[in-house]
């Protein structure tokens, strides 16, 4: 049993915008490494989905091996049991209900427990982190995805987290909040909306 609800490619519409706009924009940067952070990743479905999205983009360009070296996805969560499940990289049938068939065929084995393919597994690492207690991971992040996590926190705490994400993002980076949460307070002047519906923002 999974302890915190999540899914592969949860809210596919958000991933579709990332596939069409965010991933190509980041891929075209000159930066040798692209740092992606799934903050509050639960059992790993979100970071694996993000890694697969970048891999798929590179594969269509004929440079899949470059994605494996260039894209580094961090999944962090406060919950150790979820992270143990995440590290296994295996899934249940219900995890796939929003996964496009093409991506399921390409990135997951065809039999239970449907492990993620090794080339995408290698792009993802996991760390136990309390979003509230710790500073943002060092370095410049190109994509921070924090979805269905902020609902746990009061308004003041959310505003502190937005500032933390702003500090952790590269100027060319993106913050993805998804369908449920949105920016509050001063953060609204520190980010510009790229896609208002999927709540995708850039620093400004
Ligand atoms: C509903 S899951 C969201 C998973 C994924 N982001 C998604 O949208 O499918 C929320 C996660 O936030 C994590 N979380 C809650 N408080 C946290 C904190 N202070 N620091 C890090 N993670 C936290 C929970 O452990 C849980 O795994």
């Amino acid at each position: 049993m999974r302890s915190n609800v999540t899914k592969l490619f949860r809210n596919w519409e958000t991933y579709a915008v990332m596939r069409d706009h965010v991933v190509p924009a980041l891929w075209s940067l000159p930066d040798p490494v692209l740092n992606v952070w799934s903050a509050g990743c639960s059992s790993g479905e979100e970071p694996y989905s993000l890694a697969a999205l970048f891999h798929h983009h590179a594969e269509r360009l004929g440079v899949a091996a470059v994605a494996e070296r260039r894209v580094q996805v961090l999944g962090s969560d406060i919950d150790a049991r979820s992270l143990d499940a995440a590290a296994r990289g295996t899934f249940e049938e219900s995890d796939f209900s929003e996964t496009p068939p093409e991506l399921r065929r390409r990135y997951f084995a065809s039999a239970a427990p449907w492990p993620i393919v090794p080339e995408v597994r290698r792009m993802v690492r996991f760390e136990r982190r309390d979003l509230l207690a710790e500073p943002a991971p060092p370095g410049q992040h190109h994509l921070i995805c924090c979805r269905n996590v902020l609902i746990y926190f009061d308004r003041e705490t959310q505003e502190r987290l937005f500032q933390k994400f702003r500090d952790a993002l590269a100027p060319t980076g993106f913050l993805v909040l998804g369908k449920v949460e949105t920016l509050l307070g001063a953060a609204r002047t520190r980010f510009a909306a790229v896609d208002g519906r999927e709540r995708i923002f850039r620093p400004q």
Side-chain angles (χ1 to χ4, degrees):
M1 253 325 255
R2 309 276 173 178
S3 50
N4 291 304
V5 175
T6 184
K7 271 181 198 303
L8 293 156
F9 298 100
R10 181 181 192 180
N11 295 128
W12 166 252
E13 307 82 13
T14 310
Y15 283 95
V17 176
M18 288 197 271
R19 175 196 61 191
D20 294 341
H21 300 290
V22 175
V23 171
L26 293 176
W27 191 261
S28 68
L29 293 173
D31 308 25
V33 173
L34 297 176
N35 290 304
V36 177
W37 179 21
S38 167
C41 69
S42 188
S43 40
E45 283 79 350
E46 184 175 271
Y48 288 128
S49 301
L50 291 168
L53 213 57
F54 276 92
H55 193 281
H56 196 55
H57 181 75
E59 193 156 77
R60 281 186 299 184
L61 297 174
V63 291
V66 176
E68 292 169 43
R69 291 192 302 273
R70 187 181 185 208
V71 182
Q72 299 181 2
V73 181
L74 166 67
S76 75
D77 203 281
I78 198 171
D79 183 50
R81 280 189 56 201
S82 294
L83 290 172
D84 286 345
R88 284 196 289 278
T90 59
F91 301 95
E92 296 170 5
E93 182 60 42
S94 58
D95 284 319
F96 291 99
S97 61
E98 299 190 45
T99 304
E102 180 197 1
L103 293 178
R104 181 170 181 174
R105 273 195 304 275
R106 172 62 187 88
Y107 290 110
F108 300 88
S110 54
W114 297 289
I116 186 90
V117 294
E119 58 268 38
V120 173
R121 176 68 189 84
R122 287 193 292 270
M123 295 165 67
V124 183
R125 72 183 197 284
F126 295 98
E127 287 179 17
R128 189 174 182 194
R129 289 174 182 273
D130 180 350
L131 268 176
L132 306 185
E134 309 204 9
Q140 300 271 292
H141 287 77
H142 295 87
L143 171 58
I144 298 175
C145 197
C146 188
R147 303 187 307 155
N148 306 296
V149 177
L150 297 165
I151 38 170
Y152 289 89
F153 307 130
D154 62 24
R155 183 186 172 110
E156 191 191 329
T157 308
Q158 290 189 28
E159 290 198 36
R160 268 199 294 128
L161 277 175
F162 292 136
Q163 186 55 45
K164 190 178 271 195
F165 292 149
R166 176 72 178 74
D167 294 342
L169 271 178
T172 49
F174 293 88
L175 173 67
V176 176
L177 298 181
K179 288 190 180 301
V180 175
E181 293 123 330
T182 195
L183 293 175
L184 298 169
R188 299 169 78 138
T189 62
R190 297 188 184 124
F191 290 91
V194 173
D195 187 298
R197 195 178 157 124
E198 305 307 330
R199 317 257 168 77
I200 299 178
F201 304 92
R202 300 197 85 155
Q204 65 173 0

